[in-house]
Amino acid sequence: MKLIRLDELLAIAWLAAPACICGAHPVAGTAPLTLQGDLASNMVAGVDRFLLRKLDESSATRSRFWHRDFSSWTAYEQSLATNRQRLEYILGARDHRVRHVELELIATPNRSALRGRGHGYQVFAVRWPAFGDVTGQGLLLTPTHGTPIANVVAIPDADQTPEQLAGLAGGIAPESQFARRLAESGCRVIVPVLINRHIDAQRKLSNREFIYRPAYELGRHIIGYEIEKVLAAIDWLRRETPGAAIKTGVIGWGEGGLLAFYAGALDTRIAATSVSGYFEERRQVIWRQPVTRNVFGLLEEFGDAEVAAMIAPRALIIEAAHGPEVTMPGGDAYTPAQRGCGAPGVLRSPRLQNVRREFERARSLVAALRPSPRLELVVTGESGQGPFGSEEALRGFLGALADNARLAPEGAPPTNLWPDFDPAVRQAEQLHELDRHNQRLLAESPYVRRKFMAELDTSSPAKFRQTAAWYRNYFYRQVIGRFDEPLLPANPRSRQIYDTPQFTGYRVVLDVFPDVVAEGILLVPKDLKPGERRPVVVCQHGLEGRPRETINGNSHYYHNFAARLCEQGFITFSPQGLFIFEDRFRTLQRKANPLGKTLYSIMVPQHQQITDWLKTLPFVDPARIAFYGLSYGGKTAMRVPALVTNYCLSICSGDFNDWVWKCASTLSPYSYVRLPEYEIFEFDLGDTFNYSQMAALIAPRPFMVERGHFDGVAPDDRVAYEFANVRYLYEARLGLHDQCRIEWFNGPHTIHGVGTFQFLHQHLDWPRQGSATQ
């Protein structure tokens, strides 16, 4: 039995009990709040229901993105150009491939590039340039006599090696070694290496997630990187066999099936695509799977049926087969000893009923195309759980590539001429190349952002506001993600929970969207005069926090700053943040991302509703509502006031820094790449909005940073570097000399409450009442 320390018991009792039992008197004009239990838990559960409903609705709302022209095959493919561009962007396949791809044989003075010999083909170790300094590596299986009947890129799952798929190593049943089966049938085959799911003991993070995290922040994706390698291999195959006489196909299983599927949709040179162990109805599985399959905005426009319809009129063979079975440890479901830094995730074989349902939907999307495209479903074993690489699927794939193709009988495994080969060395090389590419993109990102923000006109405040409107809209729609859903009537409910000599406190709940509420604690000073309107400070706690912690208990993080401000005469409101209950809230991010949304897609409307309601209170000055947040509340201070213009100023405490660097650096000990907060990464901030760019969306409203020298969020130099860009905008470009400030203090990750309180008094035009220091 676990023993609970006295201080833990007292903390639990304090959080569970009201500060005082004051009855159920509500704020004037609100209904009594009768909800019981943990309101924060109810709020998170409601958001979860809302997001699951939006996922369910996504397939029915995708049609607005599609304008298919069925008048001819050529017109059909041309009508999908915009969709291809969007898919390419969200998959992160954005880096320019090497123009002239040459396949390089990998050999040493003591060992030739020839890896093996099979019946009618040879196997070579190869490398090819893909993009930047990144190369693809793998095997080339090429016929020993005559011209190949087709070119194929055969893609293994992430935890398989090219040698296994080619029969040079154990681990895959001979009947599923589709790379060598295709080579035996006369195809020239390239088998690329994928980054595997191995969890590094030091990083406590899988190799795939180690690449995914910074790439995602920089507008790239491990999926996009590996697609680029596949397409670079196709560049070489096509150049070696110009013209249409020899067709090119892609085939894959598991993660390889994913890559083949998207490569076939993006590149019209691919004549046939075969996907095994991946295709299915994706709405209820995507957020459960490893985070490396998390694609921002995917289900908003692209279900598997829509992607399949993009491959048409070219051939697509879908094999319902047993898929990879993988469990990625992580999250609060595991003990501290088991827990890594990575996101929890589970891969299970696609269920046949989900495969069939999505396949039929794909057929319906291309039903009007004439002649009808080749779209086939092959079911292996009972309930689609048989071995992958079935003869029926391979025959269909070959038949789509060459009329005279015949699947050869399975031959003997090839002779392995490199029996001592260690694939771990090659894996490390490929991992290092992608890490180096991410870090190069990070180094270049300030210049990309500067170019992105170049349309901001600082010649006058009026022109600045006018040009900033476009960026604010872009930030909301493309980065944060906006639900085009009207706010519900607030329907405010409240009950009194505090009664002190200085203030009265109320728990307040407001409706936002169906199933979504905002809740928090309103503190009202008792010395309010009749008809008086006072400024409000919205006081936001940090990760896993509660509104009460900003009011009493003297937390070493918050020092009762909401109560202290109220004692200074301000009205305060302390919202319950959505960032609570560990994996419960982090999973909300996983459910929001496929819709092109984030946690802030919920929090921005919550704060809009909060501030709209505060403005209706007869004792609130609607022009003087400020935001002040610590830690995750500081993250909120950068994003929410940029979009909720009811806030007249914003104070970011314990969070402001070079945010893109913090999320994307694999060298810095401060980086989130090495921390468990897997929900923290936001797609493509690297090319768009670092913290200085977010501050530009707050400008010309007052903005302040509170920074402790010993705050472990970031070192002083990174904070100063990013803040210098903000000060330059406010002071040098806009001529606002008292609107932007930073306070440095000798302290840790905490509310200091000295310079920030002075800032609030100054810009909210409220006189100081006694000492506001700790």
Side-chain angles (χ1 to χ4, degrees), residues 353-464:
Q353 62 185 25
N354 293 342
V355 177
R356 287 193 186 279
R357 185 165 54 242
E358 195 70 0
F359 178 77
E360 291 304 320
R361 204 166 67 82
R363 288 181 61 181
S364 71
L365 292 176
V366 297
L369 197 56
R370 293 290 182 271
S372 296
R374 185 167 185 171
L375 178 59
E376 300 177 8
L377 175 62
V378 175
V379 178
T380 70
E382 292 186 11
S383 302
Q385 296 297 303
F388 63 91
S390 65
E391 294 210 352
E392 184 181 354
L394 292 181
R395 281 195 296 269
F397 179 62
L398 275 175
L401 288 172
D403 293 336
N404 60 342
R406 296 292 182 271
L407 182 65
E410 181 187 327
T415 303
N416 188 355
L417 302 179
W418 289 18
D420 59 344
F421 174 72
D422 182 3
V425 175
R426 180 181 59 195
Q427 178 73 203
E429 290 173 354
Q430 292 281 279
L431 190 71
H432 174 69
E433 286 182 359
L434 288 176
D435 177 36
R436 183 175 59 194
H437 184 74
N438 279 337
Q439 298 314 295
R440 182 177 67 80
L441 291 175
L442 174 60
E444 294 172 353
S445 67
Y447 307 100
V448 178
R449 291 191 297 273
R450 187 175 304 162
K451 183 177 180 181
F452 173 72
M453 300 293 289
E455 297 303 314
L456 268 181
D457 188 339
T458 58
S459 61
S460 71
K463 288 184 177 179
F464 178 81

Side-chain angles (χ1 to χ4, degrees), residues 100-103 140 142 147-148 151 188 190 232-243 246 248 269:
H100 189 80
V101 177
E102 287 287 0
L103 206 66
L140 170 67
T142 188
T147 302
N151 292 318
R188 175 165 44 192
I190 291 178
I234 290 174
D235 291 342
W236 179 80
L237 289 168
R238 295 280 295 181
R239 190 168 57 81
E240 287 295 298
T241 52
I246 297 179
T248 301
R269 300 175 303 171

Side-chain angles (χ1 to χ4, degrees), residues 678-695:
Y678 57 83
E679 88 294 344
I680 210 77
F681 304 93
E682 296 158 287
F683 185 66
D684 203 21
L685 279 191
D687 284 354
T688 54
F689 294 94
N690 205 345
Y691 271 12
S692 60
Q693 286 77 35
M694 293 183 199

Side-chain angles (χ1 to χ4, degrees), residues 366-695:
V366 297
L369 197 56
R370 293 290 182 271
S372 296
R374 185 167 185 171
L375 178 59
E376 300 177 8
L377 175 62
V378 175
V379 178
T380 70
E382 292 186 11
S383 302
Q385 296 297 303
F388 63 91
S390 65
E391 294 210 352
E392 184 181 354
L394 292 181
R395 281 195 296 269
F397 179 62
L398 275 175
L401 288 172
D403 293 336
N404 60 342
R406 296 292 182 271
L407 182 65
E410 181 187 327
T415 303
N416 188 355
L417 302 179
W418 289 18
D420 59 344
F421 174 72
D422 182 3
V425 175
R426 180 181 59 195
Q427 178 73 203
E429 290 173 354
Q430 292 281 279
L431 190 71
H432 174 69
E433 286 182 359
L434 288 176
D435 177 36
R436 183 175 59 194
H437 184 74
N438 279 337
Q439 298 314 295
R440 182 177 67 80
L441 291 175
L442 174 60
E444 294 172 353
S445 67
Y447 307 100
V448 178
R449 291 191 297 273
R450 187 175 304 162
K451 183 177 180 181
F452 173 72
M453 300 293 289
E455 297 303 314
L456 268 181
D457 188 339
T458 58
S459 61
S460 71
K463 288 184 177 179
F464 178 81
R465 290 189 185 93
Q466 181 182 358
T467 54
W470 182 90
Y471 288 98
R472 186 172 290 109
N473 182 66
Y474 185 97
F475 183 59
Y476 201 170
R477 292 201 169 273
Q478 302 300 323
V479 178
I480 296 298
R482 178 171 185 166
F483 284 109
D484 289 320
E485 184 155 337
L487 294 175
L488 294 173
N491 184 26
R493 291 90 77 197
S494 68
R495 62 172 170 253
Q496 185 180 346
I497 61 170
Y498 287 103
D499 187 8
T500 76
Q502 292 84 18
F503 58 78
T504 306
Y506 304 88
R507 175 77 67 178
V508 179
V509 175
L510 308 171
D511 291 338
V512 179
F513 294 143
D515 284 321
V516 177
V517 299
E519 67 107 345
I521 298 175
L522 175 71
L523 300 186
V524 182
K526 285 190 171 178
D527 62 350
L528 269 170
K529 299 176 179 60
E532 183 182 16
R533 289 181 177 267
R534 289 198 187 177
V536 181
V537 182
V538 173
C539 302
Q540 184 67 70
H541 63 74
L543 181 65
E544 300 296 334
R546 301 277 187 156
R548 287 184 184 277
E549 295 175 70
T550 70
I551 298 167
N552 62 350
N554 199 27
S555 158
H556 63 280
Y557 294 119
Y558 307 109
H559 300 290
N560 300 350
F561 79 112
R564 289 163 52 215
L565 284 167
C566 192
E567 290 165 359
Q568 284 293 304
F570 295 103
I571 298 162
T572 66
F573 187 88
S574 299
Q576 174 61 63
L578 197 53
F579 28 86
I580 189 171
F581 304 122
E582 294 184 315
D583 278 349
R584 281 185 64 193
F585 93 83
R586 293 194 167 101
T587 303
L588 299 180
Q589 184 85 315
R590 293 294 314 276
K591 293 168 183 173
N593 278 180
L595 299 168
K597 308 297 188 290
T598 64
L599 290 172
Y600 286 98
S601 303
I602 299 294
M603 287 191 278
V604 169
Q606 284 178 323
H607 281 266
Q608 187 69 53
Q609 192 76 302
I610 288 167
T611 55
D612 285 349
W613 175 71
L614 288 171
K615 289 168 66 174
T616 69
L617 298 178
F619 46 83
V620 166
D621 183 344
R624 292 187 290 170
I625 302 177
F627 188 96
Y628 186 179
L630 171 72
S631 194
Y632 227 115
K635 291 174 184 41
T636 308
M638 299 308 305
R639 292 159 179 80
V640 167
L643 299 173
V644 178
T645 55
N646 285 341
Y647 285 119
C648 68
L649 68 79
S650 182
I651 299 175
C652 175
S653 178
D655 187 70
F656 188 92
N657 70 104
D658 183 350
W659 181 255
V660 172
W661 165 82
K662 182 173 176 64
C663 290
S665 173
T666 55
L667 299 174
S668 169
Y670 296 92
S671 175
Y672 274 120
V673 174
R674 301 176 185 275
L675 295 175
E677 287 88 347
Y678 57 83
E679 88 294 344
I680 210 77
F681 304 93
E682 296 158 287
F683 185 66
D684 203 21
L685 279 191
D687 284 354
T688 54
F689 294 94
N690 205 345
Y691 271 12
S692 60
Q693 286 77 35
M694 293 183 199

